[in-house]
Amino acid sequence: MDQLISTNKKAEKLNSLSLYKKRLGQKRLTLLITALVSLLVAFYSIKKGAIDLTVDQIIKVFLGQGDSQASLVILNIRLPRALAAILVGAALASSGTVMQCVLQNQLASASTLGVSQGAAFGAALGIVVFGGGIVSSASTNVAMEINNPYIVTLSAFVFGLASTLVILFIARLKKSLGPGSLILAGVALSSLFTGAFTLLQFFADDSQLGAVVFWTFGNLGSASWSNLLVIALVLVFSLGYFMINSWNYNAMSTGTDTAQSLGVDTRRLMLITMTVSSLTAAVSVSFVGIISFIGLVAPHIMRIFLGDDYRFLIPGSALAGALILLLADNLARLLIAPIVLPIGALTSFLGAPVFLYLLIKGASNARN
């Protein structure tokens, strides 16, 4: 009898191990498929536009053998734009993923914690007060350009990060403040920055007002190669930190008490994670303008396929964010070409229904 029981236990253990390996294989396959689809959409973004390019032309440009027109279109316009979509989408999505974990709130993201609103106010301040100004040009692929993007970008970054610093200061000042209260602090800061942003618009002249509105639309085409390098470096650093702490995030997802019992310094993890994730989001939006809800939508989509294992959810959300922003950018460029629609508006159309769904779902769970 004992031998039979031992045999059954071994069989169950082997069966569980087999199921676990199968599930890991499915998760890896999901990541691979998402990455491949993102690459295909990025290639389509480079190929399709006002001037349609052939596959042969694109390959020749990458090999350094393309004609001048194709090289100009790909290397100066479409490739930087596609890379901006990939990097910014990945940055916002990965940041939103870990924010939702450490704050234990499904609604947490850069756009719901006041980071994006702080950046918008900073950009408006740079344009109206610090002389960012505007210049209109018919020779570029946009109707309006910021005259001094460095002032505007720096100002947007400073105030985007300031929103996070205020939230972290409140968290350290009042140790009993829970994750839900930090979300409310973010809402309050969003309201404050939105009000200040509106006042700046009221006192701006026509050209400054046009520049402010143009920046808040979100424009992936405004990022230069040097901007992309900065975003890429920040993204690599933040993803590295997130992945190193993926097991800690797994512990946090089961509850703060459980994580602490496993030796996780939850408060330190929350403060550092919020700083790194908000820094990443602030850098991204400071270069390309306000792009909302990517950090909210992408993690929830990938949870359907990957569950709450942050070893896979963090890179999966980053890939999904890149894919979503690539698709949104293609829609913005091609829907009523040659007019380019504001990409921030399109991502808001996507994110708002998901936001409302999560609110309704949360209220329903609370009643049950």
Side-chain angles (χ1 to χ4, degrees):
M1 178 63 73
D2 291 340
Q3 186 177 3
L4 180 61
I5 293 174
S6 176
T7 302
N8 288 336
K9 285 184 177 179
K10 288 181 180 178
E12 290 176 1
K13 186 176 181 180
L14 289 173
N15 188 43
S16 298
L17 183 61
S18 176
L19 289 174
Y20 175 73
K21 289 183 177 178
K22 181 180 179 182
R23 181 58 178 155
L24 286 182
Q26 291 173 343
K27 291 179 179 180
R28 293 190 180 102
L29 181 61
T30 299
L31 294 181
L32 179 61
I33 291 173
T34 307
L36 290 176
V37 173
S38 299
L39 288 175
L40 288 175
V41 175
F43 187 83
Y44 180 80
S45 300
I46 296 172
K47 181 179 183 299
K48 198 71 174 176
I51 301 175
D52 284 345
L53 300 173
T54 65
V55 175
D56 184 59
Q57 284 179 305
I58 296 172
I59 293 174
K60 283 183 177 179
V61 168
F62 286 143
L63 294 176
Q65 302 172 358
D67 60 78
S68 58
Q69 184 185 47
S71 298
L72 178 66
V73 170
I74 293 174
L75 299 180
N76 290 2
I77 300 175
R78 294 186 190 171
L79 181 59
R81 191 180 187 100
L83 288 176
I86 292 171
L87 294 173
V88 172
L92 294 176
S94 58
S95 297
T97 303
V98 295
M99 283 181 179
Q100 291 166 15
C101 176
V102 298
L103 295 179
Q104 298 181 351
N105 193 307
Q106 291 187 334
L107 302 178
S109 69
S111 55
T112 57
L113 287 175
V115 177
S116 297
Q117 292 79 2
F121 168 73
L125 193 70
I127 292 169
V128 177
V129 178
F130 298 139
I134 62 98
V135 59
S136 297
S137 175
S139 62
T140 62
N141 63 320
V142 294
M144 186 181 294
E145 293 180 326
I146 302 299
N147 191 34
N148 195 330
Y150 299 103
I151 290 178
V152 176
T153 298
L154 179 61
S155 184
F157 167 71
V158 168
F159 281 92
L161 191 59
S163 178
T164 301
L165 294 177
V166 171
I167 292 175
L168 294 177
F169 175 75
I170 294 172
R172 291 184 65 87
L173 187 67
K174 188 173 177 59
K175 294 184 178 180
S176 60
L177 195 66
S181 299
L182 291 178
I183 292 290
L184 293 178
V187 172
L189 284 172
S190 299
S191 178
L192 175 65
F193 282 125
T194 300
F197 178 76
T198 303
L199 283 176
L200 280 176
Q201 287 181 299
F202 181 79
F203 289 107
D205 60 34
D206 290 343
S207 62
Q208 291 172 335
L209 182 61
V212 169
V213 173
F214 172 74
W215 189 91
T216 57
F217 280 168
N219 178 26
L220 295 175
S222 63
S224 65
W225 284 106
S226 59
N227 299 155
L228 295 176
L229 178 61
V230 173
I231 298 173
L233 291 175
V234 172
L235 177 61
V236 169
F237 166 76
S238 61
L239 280 177
Y241 176 79
F242 297 155
M243 291 304 297
I244 288 172
N245 287 278
S246 57
W247 282 109
N248 292 333
Y249 296 135
N250 283 342
M252 281 282 287
S253 67
T254 62
T256 303
D257 293 337
T258 302
Q260 288 175 343
S261 69
L262 294 172
V264 179
D265 187 343
T266 56
R267 187 164 190 80
R268 181 173 179 274
L269 181 65
M270 183 187 75
L271 292 175
I272 297 178
T273 296
M274 286 298 298
T275 301
V276 173
S277 58
S278 298
L279 169 67
T280 305
V283 168
S284 300
V285 300
S286 66
F287 285 123
V288 300
I290 300 302
I291 298 177
S292 301
F293 291 116
I294 295 293
L296 177 68
V297 173
H300 289 289
I301 292 175
M302 295 312 291
R303 278 192 179 94
I304 298 173
F305 304 100
L306 300 173
D308 284 322
D309 187 343
Y310 284 85
R311 294 175 301 163
F312 297 95
L313 185 58
I314 292 170
S317 297
L319 290 171
L323 177 57
I324 291 170
L325 198 51
L326 280 168
L327 291 171
D329 185 52
N330 279 328
L331 188 63
R333 291 189 305 111
L334 303 175
L335 188 62
I336 53 173
I339 297 173
V340 179
L341 296 174
I343 191 170
L346 294 181
T347 57
S348 294
F349 274 121
L350 171 67
V354 176
F355 189 88
L356 293 174
Y357 167 75
L358 293 173
L359 281 175
I360 295 170
K361 181 182 178 181
S364 176
N365 292 340
R367 286 197 299 270
N368 294 334

